[in-house]
Amino acid sequence: MVLPIVKLVSLFIRLSSRPVVHRLTVSAARHPKFGSAIVLIAQKYHSMDFTSQRKLLGFGRQTPIEPLSTDEAMNLGTTLLGEFLVYGVSILFLSYEYNRSLKNEKLKEEKRKDEIGKLQKEVHEYGLITEDLKGQMFKLQVKNWILENNSRQCSIQN
């Protein structure tokens, strides 16, 4: 049941990230400093990705890494930034839900402890009442025994 919901939420987040990526691309094209930062991030990512792939495949540093063109770097950078935003929002949402569920669990636990405390108090009170009733019953039995003995003595004397 939970898995389809997670898939739908993930799909929704991915689809909603497309306009964000498009706006980032437009902003990067309009603002040169932002665009150069995006290109720099994309070039660094490309070099790390290329190097790690070569190491995983067992190739050494035989050939230098060719940098991406500005357009390719801009597309890659905006896509990376968009994905980072999507994952950031997802992490924030998950942490919010986790904290909310923790808070609810704490409230439930406090309610349970209160109920247990009330029940323990009632059991203690019922125990005191029972002890009091046992004491009264013992007194009545003693009085009954005394009255029986007195009535026997009266009947013997008569």
Side-chain angles (χ1 to χ4, degrees), residues 131-149:
E131 290 297 319
D132 186 42
L133 290 174
K134 283 182 182 178
Q136 289 178 7
M137 194 168 88
F138 179 73
K139 287 178 186 176
L140 289 173
Q141 285 175 346
V142 168
K143 283 183 183 179
N144 188 25
W145 184 73
I146 291 173
L147 288 174
E148 282 180 5
N149 284 339

Side-chain angles (χ1 to χ4, degrees), residues 12-75:
F12 174 74
I13 290 172
R14 286 209 175 265
L15 289 176
S16 64
S17 72
R18 288 182 182 170
V20 173
V21 170
H22 178 70
R23 284 196 180 260
L24 287 173
T25 305
V26 170
S27 294
R30 286 185 187 164
H31 304 7
K33 287 183 181 180
F34 182 60
S36 64
I38 294 289
V39 168
L40 180 65
I41 290 171
Q43 294 292 359
K44 295 259 185 205
Y45 174 78
H46 173 68
S47 67
M48 287 189 305
D49 184 45
F50 195 74
T51 303
S52 63
Q53 283 182 9
R54 266 197 291 194
K55 286 182 181 180
L56 285 174
L57 295 174
F59 300 114
R61 271 188 90 97
Q62 298 163 353
T63 58
I65 301 169
E66 295 182 20
L68 296 172
S69 69
T70 306
D71 290 336
E72 289 174 336
M74 188 72 72
N75 288 336

Side-chain angles (χ1 to χ4, degrees), residues 34-124:
F34 182 60
S36 64
I38 294 289
V39 168
L40 180 65
I41 290 171
Q43 294 292 359
K44 295 259 185 205
Y45 174 78
H46 173 68
S47 67
M48 287 189 305
D49 184 45
F50 195 74
T51 303
S52 63
Q53 283 182 9
R54 266 197 291 194
K55 286 182 181 180
L56 285 174
L57 295 174
F59 300 114
R61 271 188 90 97
Q62 298 163 353
T63 58
I65 301 169
E66 295 182 20
L68 296 172
S69 69
T70 306
D71 290 336
E72 289 174 336
M74 188 72 72
N75 288 336
L76 179 62
T78 54
T79 303
L80 285 173
L81 190 56
E83 289 292 322
F84 178 76
L85 289 173
V86 167
Y87 288 122
V89 169
S90 299
I91 288 170
L92 288 175
F93 177 72
L94 289 174
S95 63
Y96 169 76
E97 284 297 318
Y98 177 75
N99 289 332
R100 188 179 65 83
S101 67
L102 276 180
K103 185 179 175 182
N104 288 341
E105 286 298 319
K106 285 181 182 179
L107 290 174
K108 286 180 185 177
E109 187 64 29
E110 288 176 10
K111 285 181 183 178
R112 282 188 210 124
K113 285 181 181 179
D114 288 344
E115 284 184 30
I116 289 171
K118 287 178 185 177
L119 291 174
Q120 286 176 339
K121 184 179 176 184
E122 285 181 14
V123 166
H124 180 71

